[in-house]
Amino acid sequence: MGIERFSDEGIRRVLCVVAHPDDLEYGASAAVHHWTSAGIEVAYLLFTSGEAGMQAPPEEVGPLRAAEQREACAAVGVERLTILDHPDGVLQPSLDLRRDVAREVRTFRPDVVLTTTWADEAPWGLNQADHRVAGLAAVDGARDAGNPWVFRELVDREGLEPWHVSRLVVAGGSPLSHGIAVSDADVAAAVASLAAHRAYLADLPDHPSPDEFLPEMLAGQGRELGTDHALLVRVHDL
Ligand SMILES: [Zn+2]
């Protein structure tokens, strides 16, 4: 089956759920800029502040990476950024994570939840431990949000009524099913969003500069969709 073009019709809000600052900046943020440019509201929920991801001590790195993430969000038109304080590097599959996702879904009320693949192996290599946990928590929490009998305390104590998410978009998911066509402006914004992680990237000596590989990567995915640039994803109807 060929890759289908992803339709934005009827989408008002998109919630992106990932483990770390920068997880959305390897291609997904091009789609985010495409959406925000079309008037769709996009929010980010991060489980950790990525404090274990650099050579400097976590106490310094957490706030630094949170600030870089805010700048990355600004580059693609995202105002609502929530960074939770789960521990980076040792994220555990837990009901707490699922409840956190369900809470944000019921609060923000997205039509679409986007996350990154939870597969052991991603297209770019062996998947990272937190990414595997975060992806599944995003899926499960998105579904929990629609069930009135799961996490009843969200209704009883926080007044958060169930909300049904229509579609789940998985970046790096397999098999690929859809492509989100993005413009040159979206690609440029995505490059700027990754470049915003300045200190983080400077800490990785072998990391190519964002403008060296992101446009090329999105162009390669675009060829499969028959467009200049695209983000290829796996879509599930929920
Ligand atoms: Zn990550």
Side-chain angles (χ1 to χ4, degrees):
M1 225 173 59
I3 303 280
E4 249 182 82
R5 201 176 258 253
F6 184 81
S7 167
D8 301 338
E9 214 179 293
I11 300 177
R12 286 160 301 171
R13 288 177 296 278
V14 177
L15 174 65
C16 303
V17 181
V18 292
H20 311 121
D22 92 340
D23 287 353
L24 290 162
E25 275 73 68
Y26 288 84
S29 64
V32 169
H33 185 265
H34 159 77
W35 285 324
T36 59
S37 301
I40 295 170
E41 200 184 343
V42 181
Y44 285 9
L45 176 67
L46 276 56
F47 289 119
T48 82
S49 56
E51 71 275 9
M54 290 174 63
Q55 295 174 61
E59 303 72 43
E60 276 171 46
V61 168
L64 172 68
R65 296 202 69 194
E68 292 190 334
Q69 184 64 57
R70 276 192 292 278
E71 202 184 312
C73 285
V76 293
V78 171
E79 287 170 16
R80 186 183 174 99
L81 165 66
T82 306
I83 302 181
L84 302 175
D85 57 1
H86 293 287
D88 180 24
V90 289
L91 207 55
Q92 297 254 30
S94 67
L95 292 178
D96 284 345
L97 295 192
R98 285 168 55 177
R99 188 186 300 103
D100 286 339
V101 173
R103 176 184 291 112
E104 181 64 2
V105 166
R106 290 188 184 187
T107 306
F108 183 60
R109 303 186 152 201
D111 307 292
V112 171
V113 165
L114 180 151
T115 190
T116 52
T117 182
W118 54 89
D120 299 342
E121 282 189 56
W124 46 87
L126 205 51
N127 209 354
Q128 197 262 357
D130 289 349
H131 297 168
R132 299 197 305 263
V133 172
L136 275 181
V139 179
D140 296 341
R143 290 204 282 206
D144 296 336
N147 187 333
W149 311 120
V150 173
F151 302 133
R152 292 174 73 167
E153 64 274 27
L154 290 178
V155 179
D156 297 343
R157 290 193 218 138
E158 301 180 43
L160 297 171
E161 296 297 331
W163 178 259
H164 181 72
V165 176
S166 307
R167 276 181 289 177
L168 178 78
V169 173
V170 186
S174 154
L176 294 164
S177 61
H178 290 70
I180 303 165
V182 295
S183 68
D184 290 348
D186 300 329
V187 174
V191 167
S193 75
L194 181 55
H197 295 277
R198 215 167 289 109
Y200 175 71
L201 294 179
D203 217 42
L204 301 168
D206 296 329
H207 197 287
S209 89
D211 59 351
E212 274 171 35
F213 75 98
L214 259 184
E216 196 181 302
M217 190 192 93
L218 293 165
Q221 297 183 30
R223 275 192 289 280
E224 295 197 41
L225 188 66
T227 181
D228 284 348
H229 296 93
L231 176 75
L232 299 184
V233 294
R234 171 78 175 161
V235 176
H236 300 272
D237 288 322
L238 295 183

